Amino acid sequence: MRGGKGAMGRTQRLLAGLLLVFVSSSWGGASEANEAAQTVPTTTFSGVAVWVRDETPVVVRIDSGQTPLGAYYWTTVEGPNERVTLCWRNRCRTELAAEQVVLEADWDVRHQSVPALSRSLRELAQWYEVTPLPEQNWQGHPANGWLMQPRDPWRYPQRWWLDAATGVTLERTIFDGSMTPLERFAFVRFERHAQADLTEVRQAWSSLGQSDRVDFRLHTVAPDAMPWRLDDLPPGFALRASGWRQGPSGSRVWQWALSDGAASVSLFVEQAPSQHARDTETETERPGAAIAESAERGSAQRWGATLIVRRNRNGWLQTAVGEVPAATLHRLLDGMRYVDE
């Protein structure tokens, strides 16, 4: 294990890895009522997708299927933030190659590398103008497509293509306000009904347990029992989960996960390294370039459509990350209130 960077530095790098895992998808499923059933996917497929967030496309190899001992979801992300995630039997292990560590967590849809809509089109139409695309196929696959234009400034325009038979997202592109693409996820190879040998899955699961393991399970806490309150949610964004994770330094990292059905946001709060730590303290190893720094607004970095904003507030380090405009993250951070305040 690498050393010499301090416990808090390592906490932040692992948190960065965690963000990369969780911000890569919305909350899977066809609707809110169907969300629980989609925790373990029933669709079996395999493919290779490319995620373009900056100048360097990231290749993602994905395999979702069944074994006699249950469903599995297996992804390999290549490139500078290389990682392998295997979800099997209701647990997930994610190996971060750069940190030589494995994050262990319960299996839920946020571990999946394929973006997914979590609300019906009728529900999304409250916050987006949803226009069906005229084509009925996507690169030879029977598919359904929609262009979603936001009705307010709190979200980005998006284009979605879903496989007609399985509902798996074949492409999602996020645009800025001038319809310039910020990032694009798309399969370059997609095959339905993929299967894996049980022995292969079992061996991969065991090999992921060889590195140092960090328990990053979300310990669920009711929103009104969290130490902070979210007083000002942007329209359409609903809280989907709240709780805490154990950081490598032993301290708790509090998390709130929100979504409007197409875009996801996570908020994290943990003890800052020092009561007088600078507002603009940011890990330079995190992907994406710094785009803003100020004592009042904290530091911000963008990676494709994903924006990361960090602030220090009375000794607490607050991190907001999501596929949304900066104003949305700042509104959420401005609305966070400590219960003793």
Side-chain angles (χ1 to χ4, degrees), residues 13-82:
R13 292 193 303 277
L14 292 181
L15 182 58
L18 181 68
L19 298 181
L20 294 176
V21 174
F22 288 142
V23 81
S24 62
S25 69
S26 298
W27 296 69
S31 67
E32 289 186 82
N34 201 31
E35 196 171 284
Q38 292 294 325
T39 296
V40 177
T42 57
T43 302
T44 58
F45 66 92
S46 67
V48 177
V50 175
W51 211 310
V52 181
R53 285 188 170 113
D54 51 25
E55 295 82 3
T56 305
V58 175
V59 176
V60 185
R61 302 184 184 277
I62 306 167
D63 189 18
S64 176
Q66 301 285 333
T67 73
L69 295 181
Y72 68 91
Y73 192 88
W74 195 349
T75 66
T76 301
V77 178
E78 301 177 356
N81 299 293
E82 180 182 351

Side-chain angles (χ1 to χ4, degrees), residues 47-242:
V48 177
V50 175
W51 211 310
V52 181
R53 285 188 170 113
D54 51 25
E55 295 82 3
T56 305
V58 175
V59 176
V60 185
R61 302 184 184 277
I62 306 167
D63 189 18
S64 176
Q66 301 285 333
T67 73
L69 295 181
Y72 68 91
Y73 192 88
W74 195 349
T75 66
T76 301
V77 178
E78 301 177 356
N81 299 293
E82 180 182 351
R83 65 183 186 274
V84 176
T85 297
L86 177 57
C87 299
W88 186 41
R89 296 186 296 184
N90 298 318
R91 296 297 300 275
C92 284
R93 290 177 178 174
T94 298
E95 183 176 44
L96 305 176
E99 286 299 318
Q100 301 176 358
V101 71
V102 170
L103 306 181
E104 285 210 342
D106 297 325
W107 186 355
D108 62 44
V109 292
R110 287 164 294 171
H111 289 86
Q112 301 182 17
S113 297
V114 180
L117 296 172
S118 65
R119 285 182 172 174
S120 67
L121 293 176
R122 178 176 298 180
E123 292 173 301
L124 288 167
Q126 298 177 76
W127 321 113
Y128 297 89
E129 181 179 344
V130 181
T131 304
L133 298 176
E135 300 87 350
Q136 296 297 309
N137 71 84
W138 182 88
Q139 297 188 4
H141 289 277
N144 300 307
W146 299 272
L147 178 65
M148 303 197 311
Q149 292 277 8
R151 299 183 183 275
D152 57 38
W154 307 114
R155 57 209 96 225
Y156 286 130
Q158 301 188 28
R159 182 180 65 214
W160 290 76
W161 281 101
L162 293 108
D163 181 60
T166 64
V168 175
T169 301
L170 299 175
E171 177 196 339
R172 183 192 67 170
T173 303
I174 302 178
F175 305 88
D176 64 14
S178 62
M179 295 303 293
T180 300
L182 292 173
E183 72 174 53
R184 179 176 183 263
F185 168 93
F187 276 96
V188 294
R189 179 177 64 80
F190 179 81
E191 300 174 1
R192 303 189 195 106
H193 310 300
Q195 297 291 331
D197 181 79
L198 173 60
T199 301
E200 183 180 9
V201 174
R202 193 195 303 269
Q203 289 176 345
W205 183 259
S206 298
S207 66
L208 286 175
Q210 299 303 311
S211 301
D212 291 347
R213 282 156 48 183
V214 176
D215 186 351
F216 257 50
R217 289 176 296 171
L218 180 66
H219 300 266
T220 302
V221 177
D224 58 2
M226 296 283 280
W228 295 75
R229 300 287 187 269
L230 305 183
D231 287 341
D232 187 21
L233 297 185
F237 283 89
L239 183 65
R240 302 301 178 86
S242 58

Side-chain angles (χ1 to χ4, degrees), residues 41 57 125 285 334:
E285 295 170 305
D334 290 343

